[in-house]
Amino acid sequence: VPSACVMSVAGIAAASVSGISDEDKPEKTTSLAVADPSTVKAVAANNKLDSQLEQLSEGSDDFRQRASRTQERIDLKQRQVEEKKKREEEAARREALRPKFVMPVKQHGLSAYYGQAGVNWMSVHTGIDFPVGYGSPVMAATDGTVRTQYNSAYGNMAIVTMADGTETWYCHLSSTKIRSGPVKAGDVIAYAGSSGNSTGPHLHFEVRPGGGASIDPLVWLRSHGVNPT
Ligand SMILES: [Zn+2]
């Protein structure tokens, strides 16, 4: 901008010189310095330009600040998205690693096997017995939906139905913790006892595919990576 201004002044000077006689030289010099309207206009324009540039610069600073704040918001959003993704991946990893079949009680070892004759009230034993103490926590062996009921033979019962319809039965309970609703493998659903036809505290555990006839829970548990003995 300044060099353009200088050029325009020089141009005006040249024009003045060419159009004016020698006698007028002093005057011409004066007129050039004081009155040349183009020069005044150029200076005014320059000032205007300066202030516009200043405003532009201020505007630019403001823009930079806003852009920076916008970037911060984008960064925060991005971080939140990444953190959410990380949490979801972690949850999925934990879900994948979580055992889907577990022992119905902590203690290993059985006091009666499936198919055994003359166990308590049954002609043939339809489940396996865990000799656990009164009040011992009883866990859902699988994910599923729990329901509870009372039966004169089985006493207080909890039944967990898996997504595929397989039922696991938990019998002779002293009390139930979760009456109904969804459960995950390992959730404490009840406490062992001796209700119903039972001679002492233990957990009687059954497996009934599709809610039908019982199968050997020992074979079933082992086939799912759980060994109760
Ligand atoms: Zn039993």
Side-chain angles (χ1 to χ4, degrees):
V1 171
S3 67
C5 186
V6 167
M7 274 177 67
S8 104
V9 169
I12 290 152
S16 303
V17 169
S18 68
I20 294 161
S21 62
D22 286 342
E23 303 91 52
D24 295 333
K25 263 183 187 169
E27 243 180 86
K28 168 205 68 193
T29 307
T30 307
S31 78
L32 177 63
V34 176
D36 185 345
S38 307
T39 309
V40 172
K41 265 185 203 160
V43 169
N46 241 16
N47 287 342
K48 197 181 170 195
L49 198 60
D50 281 351
S51 85
Q52 278 174 343
L53 278 171
E54 230 163 78
Q55 285 168 9
L56 206 61
S57 169
E58 280 167 19
S60 156
D61 284 346
D62 185 44
F63 175 77
R64 259 200 300 278
Q65 283 170 9
R66 275 187 289 131
S68 163
R69 281 197 296 273
T70 302
Q71 188 59 48
E72 278 169 21
R73 278 196 295 273
I74 290 167
D75 289 348
L76 179 65
K77 185 84 188 154
Q78 184 69 23
R79 253 198 329 275
Q80 286 170 339
V81 166
E82 279 165 12
E83 278 165 13
K84 185 166 180 279
K85 197 179 159 216
K86 213 188 287 174
R87 279 198 304 276
E88 283 168 353
E89 281 170 356
E90 176 60 20
R93 197 182 63 84
R94 273 201 307 271
E95 174 62 22
L97 288 176
R98 176 177 69 83
K100 305 304 186 300
F101 294 86
V102 302
M103 285 274 289
V105 291
K106 275 195 180 147
Q107 184 185 304
H108 288 250
L110 301 178
S111 53
Y113 288 80
Y114 178 81
Q116 215 172 309
V119 177
N120 291 338
W121 48 276
M122 299 175 196
S123 56
V124 175
H125 200 211
T126 51
I128 53 176
D129 288 352
F130 292 88
V132 291
Y134 190 93
S136 298
V138 172
M139 282 77 77
T142 69
D143 292 1
T145 307
V146 69
R147 69 179 195 272
T148 50
Q149 61 194 54
Y150 181 83
N151 176 287
S152 60
Y154 286 106
N156 294 315
M157 312 169 60
I159 297 172
V160 174
T161 306
M162 291 175 68
D164 72 357
T166 303
E167 291 181 356
T168 48
W169 291 14
Y170 312 78
C171 309
H172 309 305
L173 304 168
S174 59
S175 64
T176 54
K177 187 185 181 199
I178 303 173
R179 294 275 171 85
S180 64
V183 290
K184 299 267 190 203
D187 286 354
V188 174
I189 54 171
Y191 301 95
S194 191
S195 59
N197 197 334
S198 168
T199 55
H202 71 287
L203 177 73
H204 174 91
F205 178 75
E206 293 194 5
V207 177
R208 293 176 177 264
S214 66
I215 59 167
D216 188 348
L218 186 55
V219 172
W220 182 82
L221 281 170
R222 283 176 174 166
S223 76
H224 291 294
V226 178
N227 189 0
T229 60

